Amino acid sequence: MYEILLFTHSWLRWVTLILFAVVLFNSLGGMNGGKEYLKKDKTLTTSLVGTLHLQLLIGLLLYFVYSPITTTAMENMKIAMKVGAVRYWAVEHISIMIVAVIVAQIGSIRVKKTSVDKKKFKLQTIFFGIALILILSRIPWSESARLFRF
């Protein structure tokens, strides 16, 4: 189960990043071009937030149930905090990713509560931009073998 979840989590990252790019590009265009906030915009936003929630769910399953790294780290967190790679997976990655999902969710809620189209696009740009920066900061880019897991 661990390998299946890890594979899914790894590849779903690319879907998430593509959705971020599309939503942010669309939001910037809508904010600067005075476009109307259409059903497709809402669908893209909902798809992005849904994908983030799925990523979070899979990540939490890996973190609390299946990952040998975090399972070992939880046995002795004091020692885990002294080892950079273990600390990254046990604390840094999950903490920042949860914050990113929360930021995106707050942005989605704020967009739904706003009636002015230009403001909807602006809120999406701000909240999803912040969430994307947080996510990009905690993707393990240095582990190139993990980027394209098969």
Side-chain angles (χ1 to χ4, degrees), residues 12-149:
L12 193 55
R13 146 194 28 202
W14 299 111
V15 173
T16 305
L17 292 175
I18 290 167
L19 281 169
F20 262 116
V22 170
V23 168
L24 285 171
F25 181 78
N26 191 44
S27 295
L28 285 169
M31 186 174 71
N32 296 325
K35 295 180 184 177
E36 186 178 338
Y37 194 86
L38 302 171
K39 184 177 180 181
K40 75 170 181 77
D41 301 309
K42 183 179 179 183
T43 301
L44 282 169
T45 300
T46 303
S47 298
L48 173 56
V49 173
T51 304
L52 285 171
H53 288 168
L54 180 58
Q55 276 288 72
L56 179 61
L57 177 63
I58 295 169
L60 290 173
L61 280 171
L62 285 166
Y63 185 84
F64 288 109
V65 180
Y66 294 106
S67 173
I69 296 170
T70 56
T71 304
T72 303
M74 285 187 215
E75 290 173 5
N76 192 338
M77 195 58 87
K78 189 173 182 178
I79 292 174
M81 293 301 286
K82 293 178 183 177
V83 180
V86 177
R87 182 182 60 244
Y88 174 83
W89 293 112
V91 178
E92 296 171 14
H93 180 77
I94 191 167
S95 299
I96 297 301
M97 294 303 185
I98 288 171
V99 170
V101 173
I102 290 169
V103 168
Q105 182 63 54
I106 290 169
S108 176
I109 291 166
R110 297 268 318 264
V111 167
K112 287 177 186 174
K113 291 184 175 185
T114 302
S115 59
V116 179
D117 292 342
K118 187 172 182 172
K119 189 169 182 182
K120 286 180 183 259
F121 287 119
K122 184 177 181 179
L123 288 169
Q124 277 188 181
T125 302
I126 293 168
F127 281 92
F128 292 154
I130 292 168
L132 178 60
I133 290 167
L134 290 169
I135 288 169
L136 290 174
S137 77
R138 289 298 145 224
I139 290 176
W141 299 111
S142 63
E143 298 180 25
S144 59
R146 296 176 68 101
L147 292 178
F148 296 99
R149 230 179 236 125

